[in-house]
């Protein structure tokens, strides 16, 4: 009981520290790295799956990219701390909460058209502007093929290379683009 109370207090203090760093040092690489390392050290052995899907920083990345990755990782850790808190500070059933939250985020909307997908990609967080430009460019190529006056089979033959290309993308991007292939007429 005492252990759980100490954990609850630590989580509350770390949320407060997170709020300070997030609002006052949003673009400070050192402050973001320190916050990330603190959270990892506090909860890696206390919250199941806490560090899964963390992105790795590279010394070859620009400082802005490193800060962006730190913020993304911190957001993921904070989400998991909140889920742990909502789960009454217990690991029992926590994986189910992770999966449920992930499914809610990645709802596939088949009715989306090319314009809506472009807008959705444009506002996505966690992907670089270079990758957004590449995806939007390929999206234009896919749309052009879909609008050609060809049979469905010929359109599909032209689109196969894009399916391979999509398979190399992040799942969030792929899930937005794949439903567009159902629009082949």
């Amino acid at each position: 009981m005492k252990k759980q109370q100490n954990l609850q207090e630590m989580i509350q203090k770390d949320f407060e520290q997170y709020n300070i760093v997030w609002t006052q040092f949003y673009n400070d690489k050192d402050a973001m790295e320190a916050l990330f390392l603190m959270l990892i050290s506090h909860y890696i052995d206390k919250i199941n799956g806490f560090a899964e899907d963390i992105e790795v920083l590279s010394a070859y990345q620009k400082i802005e990219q490193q800060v962006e990755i730190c913020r993304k990782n911190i957001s993921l850790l904070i989400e998991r701390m909140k889920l742990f808190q909502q789960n009454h500070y217990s690991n029992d059933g926590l994986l189910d909460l992770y999966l449920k939250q992930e499914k809610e985020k990645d709802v596939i909307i088949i009715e989306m058209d090319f314009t809506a997908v472009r807008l959705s990609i444009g506002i996505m967080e966690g992907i670089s502007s270079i990758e957004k430009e590449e995806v939007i460019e390929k999206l234009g190529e896919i749309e052009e093929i879909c609008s050609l006056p060809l049979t469905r089979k010929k359109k599909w033959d032209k689109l196969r290379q894009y399916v391979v290309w999509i398979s190399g993308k992040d799942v969030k991007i792929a899930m937005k683009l794949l439903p567009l292939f159902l629009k082949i007429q």
Side-chain angles (χ1 to χ4, degrees):
M1 188 68 170
K2 180 85 169 149
K3 206 176 195 180
Q4 185 176 1
Q5 186 177 5
N6 290 341
L7 183 60
Q8 290 174 5
E9 289 172 7
M10 184 168 64
I11 287 176
Q12 196 57 42
K13 286 179 183 174
D14 288 345
F15 280 146
E16 291 168 11
Q17 182 66 27
Y18 157 76
N19 286 327
I20 292 168
V21 172
W22 199 261
T23 55
Q24 295 179 10
F25 303 100
Y26 189 75
N27 289 315
D28 185 324
K29 178 184 172 282
D30 294 332
M32 286 294 170
E33 274 185 3
L35 176 61
F36 170 75
L37 292 172
M38 178 195 72
L39 293 174
I40 286 290
S41 68
H42 284 182
Y43 304 107
I44 189 79
D45 60 343
K46 293 175 181 66
I47 300 176
N48 288 349
F50 189 66
E52 286 183 25
D53 301 323
I54 297 280
E55 285 189 40
V56 178
L57 290 179
S58 167
Y60 299 106
Q61 295 168 321
K62 294 179 182 176
I63 297 291
E64 298 82 23
Q65 290 172 315
Q66 291 178 8
V67 172
E68 187 176 322
I69 289 170
C70 271
R71 285 193 299 254
K72 184 177 176 184
N73 286 340
I74 290 167
S75 294
L76 180 66
L77 297 179
I78 292 296
E79 264 181 40
R80 291 188 174 155
M81 288 168 61
K82 288 178 180 176
L83 286 173
F84 183 73
Q85 192 178 40
Q86 291 170 12
N87 201 44
H88 308 291
Y89 303 93
S90 170
N91 283 309
D92 295 335
L94 192 58
L95 178 61
D96 292 336
L97 283 176
Y98 289 164
L99 294 174
K100 181 180 175 193
Q101 184 185 39
E102 189 174 300
K103 283 180 185 177
E104 288 172 0
K105 284 182 182 177
D106 293 333
V107 173
I108 300 173
I109 303 173
I110 294 176
E111 293 79 34
M112 286 183 82
D113 62 4
F114 286 93
T115 303
V117 172
R118 268 189 203 89
L119 290 172
S120 179
I121 296 291
I123 63 171
M124 274 182 80
E125 294 181 6
I127 62 171
S128 68
S129 58
I130 295 168
E131 188 166 20
K132 285 180 187 180
E133 288 174 21
E134 177 196 5
V135 171
I136 290 171
E137 180 183 320
K138 295 286 187 186
L139 196 52
E141 294 171 17
I142 293 167
E143 184 177 25
E144 188 176 316
I145 292 169
C146 287
S147 66
L148 290 173
L150 299 171
T151 64
R152 290 175 82 183
K153 183 181 180 340
K154 287 184 180 179
K155 286 181 187 179
W156 179 247
D157 289 341
K158 290 181 177 285
L159 289 169
R160 285 177 198 240
Q161 65 179 328
Y162 295 98
V163 174
V164 173
W165 170 78
I166 288 171
S167 71
K169 293 294 165 197
D170 184 88
V171 69
K172 293 174 188 172
I173 294 171
M175 297 309 282
K176 290 185 182 299
L177 298 177
L178 286 173
L180 295 174
F181 289 90
L182 299 174
K183 296 187 172 292
I184 301 171
Q185 296 180 4

